[in-house]
Structures are given as structure tokens and as C-alpha cells.
Amino acid sequence: MRWNLLSTCVRSSFGKLALAAAVSATLVSVAPAQNKVELSSGQLSELQKVAATRGLNVDDLIAAAKTYTPSGKIDEYITFASGGHSGQIFVIGVPSMRQLRTIAVFTPEPWQGFGYGSGEDVLKEGDLDENHKIRWGDTHHPALSETDGSYDGQFLFIGDKANARIAVIDLRDFETKQILKNPITMSDHGCGFVTPNSEYVIEGGQYANPLGNTYAPIEEYKKAYRGMCTLWKFDRAKGRIDKSKSFAIELPPYHQDLFDAGKLASDGLIFGNSFNSEAAYGAIERGMPPLEAAASQKDMDYLHVIDWKKAEKLVEAGKAETINGFKVLKIDTLIKEGVLYFIPEPKSPHGVDVTPDGEYVVVSGKLDPHVTIYSTAKIRDAIATGKIKSHDEYGIPVLDFDACKEVQVEVGLGPLHTQFDDKGYAYTSLFLDSAICRWTLGGKLAKHGQKPWTVMGKAPMQYNVGHLVTAEGDTASPDGKYMIGMNKWSVDRFFQTGPLLPQNFQLVDISEGGDKMPVLYDLPIGNGEPHYAQMIKADKLKPWDIYPEIGFNPHTMAVDPKAPMPGDEKVVREADGKVHVYMTIVRSHFTPENIEVNEGDTVVFHLTSMEQAVDATHGFCIAGYNINLSLEPGEYAVTEFKATKAGTFPFYCTEFCSALHLEMMGYFQVKPTQGAAAK
Ligand code: RUQ
Ligand code: CUA
């Protein structure tokens, strides 16, 4: 028989497809030896019909086959993407690009019961003070915990640029365990990035502030305002940051931007870039140039090089000062002890990314079509031999640019961030070109037969790509294979959802070399503006399917002594004067079902889910009191509130958990007190 070529959309590339090659065969086989797919002529014409009606070409069919993940099959990689100003983290499977979960971090989220009667302590820890609650965040840079420079799948950290905060997420239950407010500044950006064994989580500042969150007139900017880089000490056994062992590095009031920790060859160093080495602070109202112009006058800004192992020793030796209760190493100490050096970098730089071998640091220049590649060996040598060209206004030694530079590669317009693969390639996002540039690395990572530091090709992005992520692409052992371009604009890619459009995550196949980088899938992100992401091999994650024991408190990661077990259910007024409700939950029943308190009582609900079946989650909401909890199998939750409103308030389960889910309810009644009844 003869194949009828697709009528609407066949491109010449159709001929490339194996199926079409065997034009006169009745059975056509598609390569993979271990999973031989055979299409009968009937199936092939069915496929052609579907393609024709849906307007798909052969490349589309191949992309679909590379990403389509049949029901029940699990993705090879998991991506943790920052949720931007949604304040959350998105969990996305690769290559299917299915969104698996949102992790509530800085913003209350009712489905997870985060911030609606539970998780309050975590959120509170991140408040400015009692009167200044913060209930959102601008998440930028998630960082997976590392062992020897590679992801270990245990913890996840992320910063809040808007309020200079950092959060710790435990990947056993994907829940936020800790939020800390930086005590010395109000905004950050390069947060978080981990040192190779997660000894510290790095939080680089952004907009300079008088340290300690105090006031100083703006005219005193150069004198009173400072930048910073904070090293949060991570206690892996506890799964928490230890604030008492954490410290900050004082920096000049340039706007520090992104940071990365050295590894292998550069272990012990931290690299950070900065813009606004002009120390501009705006004041267009007073006839000065606008900030964006004033901050872009000089040709060079400064790459910061911090020796964190030396800094740690100085802190241990008591050389830090205390600002707002937090240890800070001041600039003069850093200079005297040789902890901090600058290297010129082309103006208005953005990303700073250490190569997998730790031998090079790649810095992009937003206003320069090059990436500048510094050799970490040359940097160490310049420090050791004192190749100091000048000092900045604050006396910080500036190393000679040429002595530290390895090479510059012209990648295109608006370079921002760089990731790596297992084939000796680097990938740099180009914001203005709306593309990702693939170029070859030099040194030990240069692959035989390729010219180092050479552009291989570009993958077009739709549109305005900011960050990008490749599989384990910022570690000592990248996988390559997949890349996601994280595009700020989507313009014409999706249904127009009013004037506010989703962002566009584009999955790119980077498994082949040269200039081959086909886009496989577009995933609209309709929540906040994502920034960075990390993509980890799925089998490195070992999440719990249910909590390990009944009565488990996710905030203490232990069985809670207060967790009620069957037989303990009761409503009692305890010595603290509060009414305690001890409740157990199991399909499809709350015990007790009727609860009555007096108006004005403080009520504490202790709830244990007795469930042991995977995915048997119950919700618990109380009408009128802004409460909704989520109780995963085995979980214990506690919520406390004042019964200030008299009346009858049904409570019910918010998860469709069983055939009798609608019957899973009860009444919470608040009896009016004398005075209230009279009103
Ligand atoms: S940074 S787009 Cu988004 Cu925090 Cu470079
Ligand atoms: Cu439990 Cu619905």
C-alpha cells in the first residue's frame, strides 16, 4: 500500500521519521531495542489522521513521544522551581512537565493547611516582629542540599528577596520547617546557594541598607549603608539552620547580586557579583541622574571573592562584631585578614556560575554580549602573589582583571545565567536575544575534538528567557539530557488569559551535541514569576509515603506527646484555663463530633489522623474561624484560637476522602456568655 502523506502540515522533515521511511512496509518498527514498537498500517494511518486533524508535524510527534508519560509512569527528573512572588516552590516532573505540587513556603496556602491554623510558628519565626507579619515572599533561588558538591536529595533552601529571609524545606515530607529573617538587612537576592557539603547556606544581599535595619538619611548612603553576604550554618542532623553559629560578611553598598560556592578546585571560596559599584541611590527628584543610569556609568563592577573557611575561623576566634544580635565580620577585618577580594567584571553583571570541576567562574554581563570566564587557579595565584591593581573606595583590594581572566566568549545579547551538562557544554540564557546559547568549556572539561570556548548553537526561546536549568546542572556531576528555559514572557504561546499572561517554561532536549537543541514542551506557569530551579534525578529523593508513626508532628519531626490516640478523645478544660479538644480522625469520622465551648474561651484542637493508607488525607476546617488544616496519614496537628464569636459553626473534612466524605463533619458551638447575649 502507499502512504498518504499528511495533507495539512507535512514538512520535509517527515522523511526523517523512521515510520515513514519504510513506505511500502505493512509493519514498521521504531528503534529502541528493549522496547520494540510496531505499528500496523492501520495504526500508522490513525497516527497520521490524528496529526493531520491536530495540525502536528513530525517534529511535534517526536517531541510528544519524548515527553508523553503514560498514566502510572513516573518522571525521570524532578524540578524544584522558585515560585517568584507567589512565595512558593513548584515541583515539576521532567520530561512530562506535569506539575506535581506546590510547596507552601512564605505564603499561606489552604490546601496544605499552611497558615490557616497550622504552620503559624514557622511563619511567625520569619516575621519582622510581632506587629509586622509578613505573609508572602519573592522566592528566587532554590538550592538542594549537597554532599561533595552533588545533590543528596535531603533538604531544599530558598530565599525571599523581598524581605531578606531564608526557608528550610525537608524533602522527606516536602514541608517548610523553618523561616529566618536576616537580622541585618531588608532585601537579599543570591539566596540560597550551598557550600559543597551544605555546611552553610549562602544569602547574598541586594539593595544596601543601614545594617541592623535602622534608619540613616539617604544622603549618608556611602557612609551608613552596607551590603552583606550571610552564611547560615546548617545543622543537617536537626534539619534546621543554627542562627547562633551563622554570621554575615559586611560589604560595600554596591548592590550584591548572585552568589555561588566554589567546589573541588575552588572549594572554600564564595563568588558573588555586584552592580552599582557607583553606589548610586537615585534622587532624580533632586536633579541627579535616575538610578538605572547612575548605577551603570562605570565600565566595570566587582566580582566578590570571599574565603569562607578563613571567615569561619575569624568568627570562631571572636573577631566578629554584633549587630542586632547577629555576628558580622566588618570590612576592615576582612581586608586585614585577607578574606575579601574584588576582581573587575564587565558592567552590570548578572549570573555567577562555577563550572562542575570548580576550575572556572562564569559571569554574564547584562549589558555586554560576552560571558567572562575567570580561572579559579589564577584567582588564587593573584591573591597569593599580590597582583593587586587598585583598591575600591572602602579599601578592598581589587585584583588585576587580566591576571584572573581566562577568556571571554561572545554568546549574544543579554546573557544572564549559565548551566552545565555532562558533555563539556555550558548553556547561557540570553534575555535580549530570547535564546539559550550552547558553548564549549575548556580546561579539563574540554571534550576531545571540540574547540574550547566556542559557541555551538542557540536554542530560540519564547520569550525573554531569564533563568535556565539543566539536570543537576550546577553540581560537580551534571547529567545534561534535559534543560528548561524559564521565560518571562509567553506573548502568543497560550490562550490569552486577559492582560496578565503566564510565564513559559520550555523543555529542551540537550541529549545530542552540536547545535541540536529541540524544544519539546511548553509549560505555562500561572503563579508568580519563577526565577531559578534545580533539577534532580527522581531516584535520589526518598520521600515518605505516610508519616512514619501515628501522631507524628511535622514541625518537631517526632511523635508528639500530646497526640491523642483512640480512647483519648475528649474535651477538657485544663490547668492552663484553655479548652483542649483531643480528636482522632479516620474515614469517615471525627471523634468527638459535637464540641461546645463558651464565648471567650481559648480553644486548642489536637488532632491525630489514624490513617495508614497512602493518600488518605483529611482536611479539617471550621467555618467562620479561618481555619483549615491538612492531615496526612499519621499526622498530628494542633491549632489554637480564641472563640470570640458565639454561634454554631460546622466543621468538616475538606478532602474528598471516601464515599461518606460529606458525612465527615461535626458541630463546633460557641455558647454566648451573659454579657455577649445581652448585646
Ligand atoms: S535572578 S533572571 Cu531571576 Cu534572582 Cu536572574
Ligand atoms: Cu475526610 Cu473527607
Side-chain angles (χ1 to χ4, degrees), residues 419-474:
Q419 293 267 295
F420 307 95
D421 72 4
D422 56 337
K423 295 187 190 61
Y425 291 127
Y427 299 82
T428 301
S429 54
L430 304 172
F431 180 78
L432 297 175
D433 275 349
S434 276
I436 293 175
C437 177
R438 174 191 259 168
W439 49 279
T440 57
L441 291 167
K444 286 189 208 124
L445 293 173
K447 288 275 145 104
H448 186 68
Q450 281 176 349
K451 201 166 162 252
W453 318 122
T454 307
V455 169
M456 301 298 289
K458 288 180 191 178
M461 289 283 105
Q462 285 81 29
Y463 302 91
N464 296 7
V465 56
H467 279 272
L468 75 170
V469 60
T470 56
E472 313 217 346
D474 65 352

Side-chain angles (χ1 to χ4, degrees), residues 140-141 161 189 258 350 416-417 466-467 488 529-532:
H140 271 234
H141 306 99
K161 169 173 159 146
H189 187 207
L258 286 152
H350 195 49
L416 294 180
H417 299 281
H467 279 272
K488 308 291 183 193
E529 189 216 73
H531 287 264
Y532 195 32

Side-chain angles (χ1 to χ4, degrees), residues 25 61 81 106 180 208 430 475 482 660 670:
L61 293 181
F106 296 109
L180 289 173
L430 304 172
T475 70
Y482 296 110
L660 295 175
V670 183

Side-chain angles (χ1 to χ4, degrees), residues 84-237:
H85 36 323
S86 74
Q88 319 291 49
I89 289 176
F90 308 135
V91 186
I92 299 160
V94 174
S96 76
M97 300 303 274
R98 296 179 294 197
Q99 267 205 69
L100 303 171
R101 187 171 161 177
T102 293
I103 302 175
V105 186
F106 296 109
T107 308
E109 203 288 316
W111 170 59
Q112 293 160 70
F114 186 69
Y116 293 92
S118 180
E120 307 284 357
D121 291 346
V122 180
L123 286 161
K124 244 186 239 165
E125 203 183 352
D127 284 341
L128 211 52
D129 56 48
E130 252 173 56
N131 299 318
H132 298 88
K133 290 188 181 160
I134 311 170
R135 289 296 174 269
W136 76 289
D138 185 11
T139 56
H140 271 234
H141 306 99
L144 286 158
S145 56
E146 293 182 8
T147 300
D148 296 329
S150 290
Y151 301 153
D152 54 41
Q154 294 184 351
F155 295 94
L156 183 62
F157 311 96
I158 195 157
D160 164 19
K161 169 173 159 146
N163 306 290
R165 297 185 298 166
I166 183 159
V168 180
I169 294 130
D170 194 317
L171 291 175
R172 282 172 292 184
D173 62 356
F174 284 48
E175 301 237 337
T176 302
K177 304 294 172 182
Q178 189 181 28
I179 299 177
L180 289 173
K181 168 81 195 90
N182 192 302
I184 62 165
T185 198
M186 283 310 291
S187 76
D188 69 26
H189 187 207
C191 180
F193 294 87
V194 295
T195 54
N197 284 296
S198 307
E199 298 94 337
Y200 290 96
V201 192
I202 301 162
E203 180 190 20
Q206 179 112 86
Y207 306 123
N209 243 65
L211 294 189
N213 299 332
T214 54
Y215 168 82
I218 195 76
E219 294 77 10
E220 289 174 18
Y221 186 85
K222 282 194 177 179
K223 200 177 108 220
Y225 287 56
R226 289 291 178 269
M228 68 90 202
C229 173
T230 296
L231 280 91
W232 294 103
K233 179 80 192 159
F234 184 59
D235 183 334
R236 200 187 275 266

